[in-house]
Amino acid sequence: MLNNLSKTITKLKSGRLRLGLYIAPVIAAFSIAVVVPALGPRAVDSVSGSTADIVVGQADMASNLMNRRQYGKTLYLPSGMIKIEDKLVIADRGNNRVLIYNSVPLSDNSAADTVIGQPDLASNISNYGGISSKSLDSPSGLGTDGTRLFIADTDNHRILIYNSLPSHNFAEADLVVGQPDMSSNSANRGGSPAANTVNTPKAVYSDGTRLFVGDDMNNRILIYNAIPSSNNAAADVVLGQPDMSSNAANNGGLSAQSMYQPSLVYTVGSRLYVSDIQNNRVLIYDTIPAVNFAAADAVVGQPDMTTRTANTGGISNKSLSKPVGLFADTDRLIVLEQSNNRVMVYKNIDAKISAFIASGSRIEADVVIGQPDFASNSANQGGAVSAFGLNTPSRIYSDGTKLFISDYLRNHRVLIYNSIPEINNAPADVVIGQPNMTSNSANQTAEAVSAAVLAAARNVFVTGSKMIVCDSYNNRVLIYNSIPSSDNAAADVVIGQPDFTSNLANQGGGAGPNTMYRPSAAYSDGTRLLVVEAANHRVLVYDSIPTTNNASADLVIGQPDLISNSANQGGLIPAANTFYYPVGISSDGTRLFVSDQGNHRVLIFNSFPTANNASADVVIGQPDMASNLPNQ
């Protein structure tokens, strides 16, 4: 194949067309191996056993990390955790995904096996491919009844239910709670709260029979007496509010009935624990309520039911500040405090609850994790990252033996303690999301997005002295003013992003003349540059090869204008002027050829378009321009 490509390129170079070098798909996912021949006509070296001389996008020939990151091993704002059978499941909130480890890691920096919410372990786009049964947006909480998986899909304002734990990437959920269907995601369904709506849910829990939802911004806990079996199910009981249509913080005043951004729920037998975050307390119900607006029986973190100050009486074994994590068993209560950067262990909890109910005795913790003592609360214990400290943690989980802590906002890791600590300031045994206990970069960003890194180099094209690379997962195209002559070269110009350190799809907003979303191929005739954007369903045309960062395209093919990006322009039926996930482009110098992958066709334009929204002249792979069935 390489020999044929070499002959084709040599033949084309003898005519008017300066095609240069076109290799697709790329040699490696996150780098480009460049074979450098002698000066003169450039052709692909097809000698058997030949090796590349230079690598672009990696520091050396032995590396292959996307942006130099190991995405299957990384975390960004890890949140909820659970175990289902022997598998560990982590909500990787900042990466808009849920990771599944086929077994609980026994060593640092282990890689996940399966991902939910993304098509692969290298992607982290919110609502990848659009709001659907497969997408996620900032998932925070996880729950299970032992078989099913429940995900609090926070920024989509919904709970997703999977009837079994997925075993393949990008699996579809079976049911949705809080929305009428899988394609809706408005808070409270665009209106007022009701029994079948949620607003920024951050936690979900099941006791095996019932489903509990921490409906954060509605300041309530919803209880479903049976796990929903159809979309859009209504809750049966509400706590924190007098009825299903109310959502005021501390409705009716601070009391044993009110709540202010409650989140976590945990049950042991008939007892219910609720983390009432903004009231800096944990509420305890001795029996699971069957009526709305039930009053709690005991409180942890406050002297009474009408106090909500953080660290009331000072930082101690009696105080709490933003308790966002809970676990309990028959003898213990474990509470994670985000603002105090610690985890508190309360032993003999039955006796302590009874004492509070009988005489108002404040409930005291026995062990602290993350701090040297009960009077300290500094992030990372005031020093460097270690196995001892925490920095704005968010969730805890235990399987009864091991303890798991999501060290969320600054340390981007999950810590595993092989047994629940019995002494203050115990160190963690294993770290997930970082290479070691002293690292804390988001997504292990040893080297962030820059002019010298690549994330899924989908296509390379050479025209004249310039090399053009579609850096797909960084949502940009890199232009090298000359073909690199040494490893690890930096690009000279970037388009699709404002600078070399940015990589958001469409620059974090809508499509525009200077944005990109998954560019997959490029072509130039030496003057014009054309870029295929798979996820924006379009081809951008630049009248000249850009020489400055963030340049705007002059024309668009496949869309009516430079701010539209719907597949097939929003219709179900394709046309001569639409695309659905195009991935390739080429030309013979006169005609233009575009592979329109989602429509299962190749479109031929008999001349280069000179206006937006041009129509193709010929279709290959379909009987007409309005058809798009695979294999017809």
Side-chain angles (χ1 to χ4, degrees):
M1 182 182 74
L2 288 176
N3 191 46
N4 290 338
L5 180 59
S6 175
K7 292 176 180 177
T8 301
I9 292 171
T10 303
K11 184 185 293 184
L12 287 169
K13 277 186 162 294
S14 66
R16 293 187 298 112
L17 175 64
R18 292 184 295 164
L19 177 61
L21 176 63
Y22 177 61
I23 304 174
V26 294
I27 295 166
F30 311 126
S31 64
I32 299 168
V34 182
V35 177
V36 182
L39 293 176
R42 301 185 193 109
V44 175
D45 185 349
S46 60
V47 178
S48 176
S50 62
T51 58
D53 300 286
I54 298 158
V55 65
V56 179
Q58 298 292 338
D60 52 54
M61 291 290 186
S63 302
N64 71 342
L65 302 182
M66 173 187 289
N67 290 339
R68 318 251 171 94
R69 306 173 188 175
Q70 295 170 302
Y71 268 98
K73 298 181 178 181
T74 71
L75 296 171
Y76 181 19
L77 304 179
S79 189
M81 298 155 295
I82 57 167
K83 270 183 69 181
I84 299 181
E85 297 177 346
D86 294 326
K87 298 185 178 184
L88 178 65
V89 188
I90 297 176
D92 189 13
R93 184 175 184 180
N95 283 324
N96 302 293
R97 66 185 184 176
V98 170
L99 297 175
I100 301 172
Y101 301 76
N102 287 342
S103 60
V104 176
L106 300 177
S107 59
D108 295 347
N109 206 30
S110 296
D113 297 284
T114 306
V115 64
I116 306 172
Q118 301 294 334
D120 51 57
L121 287 162
S123 302
N124 67 351
I125 302 296
S126 63
N127 288 325
Y128 192 106
I131 304 161
S132 72
S133 59
K134 297 190 289 186
S135 68
L136 294 172
D137 191 355
S138 299
S140 299
L142 301 173
T144 184
D145 62 355
T147 301
R148 286 170 284 207
L149 171 67
F150 311 106
I151 298 178
D153 190 11
T154 302
D155 286 0
N156 277 330
H157 310 288
R158 65 185 185 176
I159 304 296
L160 295 178
I161 300 177
Y162 300 76
N163 288 336
S164 60
L165 184 65
S167 57
H168 63 275
N169 295 345
F170 218 27
E172 295 188 16
D174 296 286
L175 297 171
V176 64
V177 176
Q179 297 293 341
D181 52 55
M182 293 290 187
S183 60
S184 303
N185 73 341
S186 297
N188 287 327
R189 294 178 56 178
S192 300
N196 61 344
T197 76
V198 291
N199 186 349
T200 321
K202 291 184 178 176
V204 60
Y205 174 81
S206 175
D207 61 1
T209 301
R210 287 165 285 225
L211 188 71
F212 302 81
V213 175
D215 192 9
D216 190 81
M217 296 306 290
N218 280 329
N219 301 294
R220 66 185 185 176
I221 298 292
L222 295 176
I223 303 176
Y224 300 76
N225 288 336
I227 295 170
S229 56
S230 60
N231 292 344
N232 202 31
D236 298 286
V237 179
V238 63
L239 303 180
Q241 299 295 336
D243 52 56
M244 293 289 184
S245 60
S246 303
N247 68 349
N250 288 326
N251 204 325
L254 182 61
S255 70
Q257 297 170 284
S258 70
M259 295 180 182
Y260 189 178
Q261 288 185 9
S263 183
L264 268 289
V265 176
Y266 209 92
T267 65
V268 178
S270 62
R271 180 175 291 154
L272 174 68
Y273 298 91
V274 175
S275 62
D276 190 13
I277 297 174
Q278 296 298 339
N279 285 329
N280 302 292
R281 65 185 184 178
V282 172
L283 296 175
I284 303 170
Y285 300 78
D286 249 2
T287 57
I288 296 173
V291 297
N292 296 343
F293 214 34
D297 298 289
V299 65
V300 179
Q302 299 294 348
D304 51 53
M305 294 290 188
T306 58
T307 304
R308 62 176 298 263
T309 306
N311 293 324
T312 300
I315 303 167
S316 71
N317 65 343
K318 301 177 184 179
S319 67
L320 293 175
S321 181
K322 288 195 170 53
V324 299
L326 282 179
F327 171 78
D329 57 24
T330 55
D331 186 54
R332 285 170 299 204
L333 171 65
I334 305 177
V335 180
L336 181 148
E337 298 177 73
Q338 191 164 71
S339 294
N340 279 335
N341 301 292
R342 67 183 185 177
V343 172
M344 305 273 267
V345 181
Y346 303 79
K347 298 180 180 180
N348 303 314
I349 191 64
D350 279 348
K352 291 175 179 179
I353 292 171
S354 297
F356 177 89
I357 293 172
S359 62
S361 299
R362 267 182 99 170
I363 296 174
E364 299 181 1
D366 299 282
V367 177
V368 64
I369 306 167
Q371 297 295 339
D373 52 56
F374 286 111
S376 303
N377 72 345
S378 297
N380 290 327
Q381 298 190 12
V385 184
S386 71
F388 296 90
L390 300 170
N391 192 340
T392 325
S394 71
R395 292 288 191 273
I396 55 171
Y397 172 77
S398 177
D399 59 4
T401 301
K402 295 177 185 283
L403 180 68
F404 304 80
I405 299 177
S406 62
D407 197 8
Y408 169 78
L409 191 60
R410 297 286 185 267
N411 287 336
H412 308 289
R413 64 185 185 175
V414 169
L415 297 176
I416 302 177
Y417 299 76
N418 288 337
S419 60
I420 297 173
E422 295 286 337
I423 60 171
N424 292 347
N425 204 29
D429 297 288
V430 178
V431 64
I432 304 173
Q434 297 295 338
N436 51 55
M437 292 289 186
T438 59
S439 302
N440 71 342
S441 297
N443 286 332
Q444 294 188 26
T445 316
E447 183 162 351
V449 181
S450 73
V453 303
L454 295 170
R458 290 286 296 276
N459 172 251
V460 59
F461 190 92
V462 171
T463 178
S465 62
K466 294 180 184 285
M467 184 171 79
I468 299 162
V469 177
C470 291
D471 188 10
S472 185
Y473 282 5
N474 281 328
N475 301 293
R476 66 184 185 176
V477 168
L478 297 176
I479 300 172
Y480 300 75
N481 287 338
S482 59
I483 298 173
S485 57
S486 60
D487 292 347
N488 202 28
D492 298 285
V493 178
V494 61
I495 51 177
Q497 298 294 338
D499 51 55
F500 284 110
T501 61
S502 303
N503 72 344
L504 293 179
N506 287 327
Q507 299 188 20
N514 60 335
T515 75
M516 290 186 183
Y517 191 1
R518 294 289 190 266
S520 58
Y523 168 80
S524 176
D525 61 0
T527 301
R528 290 169 290 202
L529 173 65
L530 287 80
V531 176
V532 177
E533 289 185 81
N536 276 334
H537 312 289
R538 66 183 185 177
V539 174
L540 295 179
V541 181
Y542 299 79
D543 286 344
S544 60
I545 298 173
T547 57
T548 59
N549 294 345
N550 205 30
S552 293
D554 297 286
L555 299 174
V556 66
I557 311 170
Q559 298 293 341
D561 50 56
L562 284 160
I563 60 173
S564 301
N565 70 342
S566 298
N568 288 328
Q569 297 191 22
L572 296 176
I573 300 173
N577 60 338
T578 74
F579 294 130
Y580 182 14
Y581 218 82
V583 294
I585 191 168
S586 188
S587 174
D588 62 359
T590 301
R591 290 166 292 203
L592 188 67
F593 311 90
V594 179
S595 60
D596 188 14
Q597 179 175 268
N599 285 324
H600 311 288
R601 65 185 186 177
V602 171
L603 295 179
I604 302 175
F605 299 78
N606 286 340
S607 61
F608 274 74
T610 57
N612 292 342
N613 206 28
S615 292
D617 299 285
V618 180
V619 63
I620 305 172
Q622 298 294 339
D624 51 57
M625 294 290 186
S627 302
N628 68 350
L629 293 178
N631 292 325
Q632 296 192 22

